[in-house]
Amino acid sequence: MLAAALGVVLLSSIVYSAFLLGLVFLSIAGFYILLNAGFVAAAQVLVYVGAVNVLILFGIMLVNKQEDFRPLPHALLGKLATGAVCAGLFALLGTTVVSTPWAISSEVAIGDRAIEAIGMHFFSDFLLPFELASVLLLIALVGAIILARREFIPDLDAAAEEQVLTLPERPRELVAAGVNESDSE
Amino acid sequence: MQLEYYLLLAAALFCIGVFGLVTSRNAIRVLMSIELMLNAVNINLMAFSNYLDPQGIKGQVFAVFVITIAAAEAAVGLAIVLSIYRNRDTVDMEQFNLLKW
């Protein structure tokens, strides 16, 4: 899974990295099943693999232009510095994780009754975030449509407005008749 | 000891996401890196929920919220990328300087 994640970041072909991203999402869903969370694993597969990954693929297909990026000065230096910073961050997180004494609970995991527990949380003590999330989804829906909508420039004159109401074949005949008349004159 | 493995995995995934976020030139790859980071956070939440709080699974609730926000973020981010591509005719992150000055 980590190799696939590295491929997402490092591969030069962005279509391959999008498919590897789907592989990463699927393996993360597998980890969720190992962590006794079947519902969230199903949500992960549905939302990430089914929606977000397909959305990213559509975005790639809409945007895909084989362009060679203009090389930046000190690009390799910047990548090395970023890699060093990320490795340092990983080392910091790793030492923190290993050295912290975790209070691991000895209770039995809730298992398949997790869905009921999640539903109880949603409608009792997490009711306000739940509603806020629904409002945010609505706002994101409307905002994404407005942002991605192709804006037509209205250059309609009166004749064009009349032609809107006619059948699709109709204006073609009218234009042809006009051309014939001008020819005969 | 299982918990530490999951946390290390999530930390590695998060660092890969940060690296991709900083070094990518393509805007869509930046979005994919953000998804990787959100998934790393989700793995953390689920591991804590399973090992520290296995009865009242609040971590799974938070993970569902994070998935929701990530889906909304991906949709809005792709819409922004599409509209920038339509206006500027490129997806190069180094040429997006609309908000720079």
Side-chain angles (χ1 to χ4, degrees):
Chain A
M1 193 196 82
L2 285 181
L6 277 175
V8 170
V9 173
L10 294 179
L11 274 186
S12 60
S13 166
I14 193 165
V15 182
Y16 288 164
S17 52
F19 282 112
L20 279 179
L21 187 71
L23 180 64
V24 172
F25 289 158
L26 273 178
S27 45
I28 287 175
F31 278 118
Y32 289 168
I33 291 177
L34 287 183
L35 286 169
N36 300 314
F39 173 70
V40 187
Q44 167 93 7
V45 171
L46 280 178
V47 174
Y48 272 113
V49 184
V52 172
N53 204 12
V54 172
L55 196 66
I56 285 177
L57 275 173
F58 268 105
I60 289 171
M61 288 172 194
L62 285 175
V63 168
N64 201 2
K65 190 173 73 170
Q66 292 296 331
E67 60 173 343
D68 295 325
F69 295 134
R70 193 164 38 86
L72 285 178
H74 312 301
L76 186 63
L77 183 65
K79 278 194 180 182
L80 282 180
T82 314
V85 168
C86 290
L89 183 63
F90 176 67
L92 188 67
L93 286 174
T95 48
T96 311
V97 163
V98 172
S99 64
T100 305
W102 298 106
I104 292 181
S105 168
S106 59
E107 290 174 336
V108 181
I110 197 166
D112 282 341
R113 287 181 49 247
I115 301 177
E116 301 170 22
I118 290 174
M120 285 300 292
H121 279 307
F122 270 156
F123 287 101
S124 57
D125 48 353
F126 287 101
L127 184 60
L128 181 63
F130 184 68
E131 301 294 338
L132 280 181
S134 61
V135 173
L136 182 129
L137 276 180
L138 177 67
I139 293 171
L141 185 72
V142 177
I145 290 173
I146 288 178
L147 278 176
R149 187 185 55 186
R150 190 184 292 274
E151 291 177 0
F152 291 106
I153 301 166
D155 51 350
L156 300 173
D157 50 1
E161 283 184 359
E162 284 179 5
Q163 283 181 359
V164 168
L165 295 178
T166 57
L167 287 174
E169 292 86 4
R170 201 68 179 173
R172 223 173 287 157
E173 292 177 4
L174 286 178
V175 167
V179 167
N180 285 336
E181 281 177 6
S182 63
D183 287 342
S184 64
E185 284 172 7
Chain B
M1 196 55 202
Q2 282 274 319
L3 175 63
E4 282 88 343
Y5 293 150
Y6 281 107
L7 296 186
L8 285 176
L9 177 80
L13 199 59
F14 188 82
C15 291
I16 291 172
V18 171
F19 180 76
L21 183 68
V22 175
T23 60
S24 296
R25 298 287 298 275
N26 199 327
I28 296 181
R29 201 185 293 261
V30 172
L31 283 179
M32 295 201 281
S33 304
I34 294 175
E35 298 295 328
L36 281 184
M37 291 164 63
L38 286 165
N39 271 292
V41 174
N42 266 344
I43 290 180
N44 257 345
L45 285 174
M46 303 291 284
F48 285 137
S49 155
N50 190 35
Y51 286 104
L52 306 184
D53 186 19
Q55 278 297 315
I57 37 173
K58 292 197 176 63
Q60 299 193 14
V61 180
F62 277 99
V64 171
F65 281 131
V66 171
I67 287 175
T68 312
I69 305 297
E73 172 264 335
V76 176
L78 274 172
I80 291 173
V81 168
L82 276 184
S83 104
I84 289 180
Y85 176 70
R86 211 170 277 147
N87 286 327
R88 309 291 295 262
D89 203 30
T90 182
V91 286
D92 191 359
M93 288 301 283
E94 303 293 334
Q95 297 182 19
F96 294 165
N97 51 7
L98 262 77
L99 297 180
K100 217 168 177 179
W101 285 288

